[in-house]
Amino acid sequence: MSGRQGPRGRPQGWQAIRDDVLARIRAREWPPGAPIPHEADLAEAYGAARATVNRALRALAEAGWLDRRRKAGTRVALNPVRRATFDIPVIRLEVEGRGMTHAHRLLARCERPATAAEAERLALPAGATVLALETLHLADDRPWAWECRIVWPKAAPGVREADLTAISVNEWLVRNAPFSHGSIAFSAVAAGHEAAGRLGCAPGAALFAIDRTTWAGPDPITEVRLLFAPGHVLSSTI
Amino acid sequence: MSGRQGPRGRPQGWQAIRDDVLARIRAREWPPGAPIPHEADLAEAYGAARATVNRALRALAEAGWLDRRRKAGTRVALNPVRRATFDIPVIRLEVEGRGMTHAHRLLARCERPATAAEAERLALPAGATVLALETLHLADDRPWAWECRIVWPKAAPGVREADLTAISVNEWLVRNAPFSHGSIAFSAVAAGHEAAGRLGCAPGAALFAIDRTTWAGPDPITEVRLLFAPGHVLSSTI
DNA sequence: GGCGTTATTAAGTATATACATAATATCCGA
DNA sequence: TCGGATATTATGTATATACTTAATAACGCC
């Protein structure tokens, strides 16, 4: 949490109000569940306009510290749900961001009809053909992540023609097939024989997995499972 | 992405501007890296005040779609970094949210000097005494997560006296020792013998792990490792 | 007392205006 | 031509004002 800095490194303006309110919440001056003064009162107390106070309180509400409802007023959140946010960049950038060099190999590429399960999950029309791709991402020439993906070419025009050995599907899609929404799930899975072979680890090793599905409006673009080499850690600050 | 709804379910006001700008970005009318019109121009184009346009563009910048810099103007983000945000509630609420009943058992509790590694990680004073706790969380009477935690009582006054069999440490800390910041990391680890025993799974099974450290200003509050029973999935929408 | 209508309230949004700030662009002198 | 001072510019923030909206509270009727 930062902001415009005043003479002694303290934020000014709405960020100062935000920080002061947060300090009072932390100090239990306004305990969880308790209502805090109205915007108008706070505005007067801080000698600021209501819009400025609104900006500060809105920021705290977005961060999960306050619950705000029209007419009901503003209350300190009862269950201080903390949000962890993870940036999900292109794999290449993730690797390079750790000071390693990235490379990828397109291990397999074929067009085939979607399986029943895939068609179900992605709401694909019956008998739809998908592009199935298998990519190995390398960091400093060592296996980093194994990517198994299906793409629905209808929702990603141009994939068929793209040279996916030069640019990874991952990156191609990010740049050429913007999605409107999707889901992401993290889990831990035991390496199967195939994964173990790809990633150069023992079968049964604990692997970090990311499953992601993305959509462009009503159309599914892609579904992917990423299995990372053992030891992978996804971290963030809260 | 939602907002105030107009007659046909379409957002109004600044959210309409946000959605329109986003649509143009998606349609490549403003391709990645390209500058978009100035706030003042957009305001005129949309027939709105600059503050309203500002609100819309700020929202898109926070979501990672735009890069904004004073004087330099506003550009479509070159690397559309998508952010996944996870709510990190109290474990009890997470379990109950899935329609199961939560219970916990305090397996161990002792006060001991911090190990060298712990003191290092948490910047504890030499020879500091920490409270070490081991808790098993149950969902519908089946193991859900195994929690190994150390707490620095100095930064969490009252923990020593708290009845941690009635309320889990997890929840006690959330309610009584608000933190200012911290770190969180997700990974996959193989179950050791102890974890396997606690969670009722085979040794070597792939477990989803969350490591978290929280601070109250300069003081470390707690460090915890959560190992979830096999099959645990952390999901979110993006 | 129970229930539906109305009044009130506090947040949400929109606007015009003004000034601040951080980059960039320009200019000018050595 | 280089480097530093200066002007310019787009965003960032603050303000007063006004109106909207959702939810609660009050009211009055039956």
Side-chain angles (χ1 to χ4, degrees):
Chain A
M1 200 155 288
S2 67
R4 190 163 44 135
Q5 303 278 304
R8 279 180 308 166
R10 254 215 271 296
Q12 296 178 329
W14 69 268
Q15 326 207 22
I17 298 178
R18 174 199 63 189
D19 290 356
D20 187 72
V21 171
L22 182 52
R24 295 199 200 193
I25 295 172
R26 289 227 182 88
R28 292 283 196 276
E29 183 179 330
W30 296 325
I36 76 170
H38 312 144
E39 284 189 352
D41 293 350
L42 286 174
E44 198 185 359
Y46 286 113
R50 187 167 78 90
T52 308
V53 173
N54 181 282
R55 184 100 163 73
L57 297 188
R58 205 165 8 101
L60 289 172
E62 279 165 15
W65 288 102
L66 295 175
D67 283 334
R68 318 196 73 198
R69 271 160 58 218
R70 279 175 172 162
K71 161 72 181 176
T74 302
R75 295 172 169 276
V76 179
L78 210 46
N79 293 300
V81 171
R82 298 299 298 240
R83 272 178 209 100
T85 71
F86 292 88
D87 287 347
I88 311 182
V90 167
I91 292 185
R92 176 175 64 79
L93 294 178
E94 189 186 356
V95 170
E96 291 175 353
R98 302 196 185 196
M100 296 184 276
T101 62
H102 172 264
H104 75 275
R105 292 197 202 118
L106 185 60
L107 302 179
R109 187 209 133 102
C110 71
E111 294 187 41
R112 58 165 174 79
T115 68
E118 286 165 354
E120 158 91 39
R121 284 198 301 270
L122 299 182
L124 286 169
T129 298
V130 295
L131 182 62
L133 298 153
E134 211 182 293
T135 308
L136 186 67
H137 293 268
L138 304 165
D140 282 348
D141 293 327
R142 294 172 52 172
W144 174 264
W146 181 43
E147 172 184 332
C148 293
R149 179 190 294 269
I150 59 171
V151 182
W152 195 42
K154 278 264 172 55
V159 232
R160 280 197 176 100
E161 293 74 32
D163 177 10
L164 299 179
T165 58
I167 181 175
S168 75
V169 216
N170 181 339
E171 202 156 350
W172 191 93
L173 284 172
V174 165
R175 302 198 180 283
N176 298 76
F179 61 89
S180 59
H181 67 283
S183 64
I184 186 166
F186 298 160
S187 58
V189 300
H193 278 88
E194 197 176 0
R198 302 302 195 204
L199 294 171
C201 64
L207 304 181
F208 189 76
I210 298 182
D211 290 283
R212 195 168 16 171
T213 308
T214 55
W215 305 72
D219 299 321
I221 300 175
T222 186
E223 182 186 55
V224 60
R225 158 159 277 199
L226 285 165
L227 290 179
F228 290 86
H232 186 75
V233 175
L234 184 67
S235 61
S236 172
T237 58
I238 49 182
Chain B
M1 201 155 289
S2 66
R4 190 163 44 135
Q5 302 279 302
R8 280 180 307 166
R10 254 214 270 296
Q12 296 178 330
W14 69 270
Q15 326 205 25
I17 298 178
R18 174 200 63 191
D19 290 355
D20 186 73
V21 171
L22 182 51
R24 294 200 200 191
I25 295 172
R26 289 227 181 88
R28 292 284 197 275
E29 183 178 331
W30 296 325
I36 76 170
H38 312 144
E39 285 189 352
D41 292 351
L42 286 174
E44 198 185 358
Y46 286 113
R50 186 167 79 88
T52 308
V53 173
N54 182 283
R55 184 100 162 73
L57 296 188
R58 204 160 16 96
L60 288 172
E62 279 166 15
W65 288 101
L66 295 175
D67 284 333
R68 318 196 73 197
R69 269 161 59 220
R70 279 174 171 159
K71 163 74 181 173
T74 302
R75 294 172 170 276
V76 179
L78 210 46
N79 293 300
V81 172
R82 296 300 297 237
R83 271 177 210 102
T85 71
F86 293 88
D87 287 347
I88 310 181
V90 167
I91 292 185
R92 177 175 64 78
L93 294 178
E94 189 185 356
V95 170
E96 290 175 353
R98 302 195 185 197
M100 297 184 275
T101 62
H102 172 263
H104 75 275
R105 291 197 202 118
L106 185 60
L107 302 179
R109 187 209 132 102
C110 71
E111 294 187 41
R112 57 165 175 77
T115 68
E118 286 165 353
E120 159 91 37
R121 284 198 301 271
L122 298 181
L124 286 169
T129 298
V130 295
L131 181 62
L133 298 153
E134 210 182 292
T135 309
L136 185 66
H137 293 268
L138 304 165
D140 283 348
D141 294 327
R142 295 171 54 172
W144 174 264
W146 181 42
E147 172 185 332
C148 293
R149 179 190 294 269
I150 59 170
V151 182
W152 195 42
K154 279 265 172 51
V159 232
R160 281 197 176 99
E161 294 74 32
D163 177 10
L164 298 179
T165 57
I167 181 176
S168 74
V169 217
N170 181 337
E171 202 156 350
W172 190 94
L173 285 171
V174 166
R175 301 197 181 283
N176 299 78
F179 61 88
S180 59
H181 67 285
S183 64
I184 186 165
F186 298 160
S187 58
V189 300
H193 279 87
E194 196 176 2
R198 302 302 194 205
L199 294 171
C201 64
L207 303 181
F208 188 76
I210 299 183
D211 290 284
R212 195 168 13 170
T213 308
T214 56
W215 304 72
D219 299 320
I221 301 174
T222 186
E223 181 186 55
V224 60
R225 158 158 277 200
L226 285 165
L227 290 179
F228 290 86
H232 186 76
V233 176
L234 184 66
S235 61
S236 172
T237 58
I238 48 182

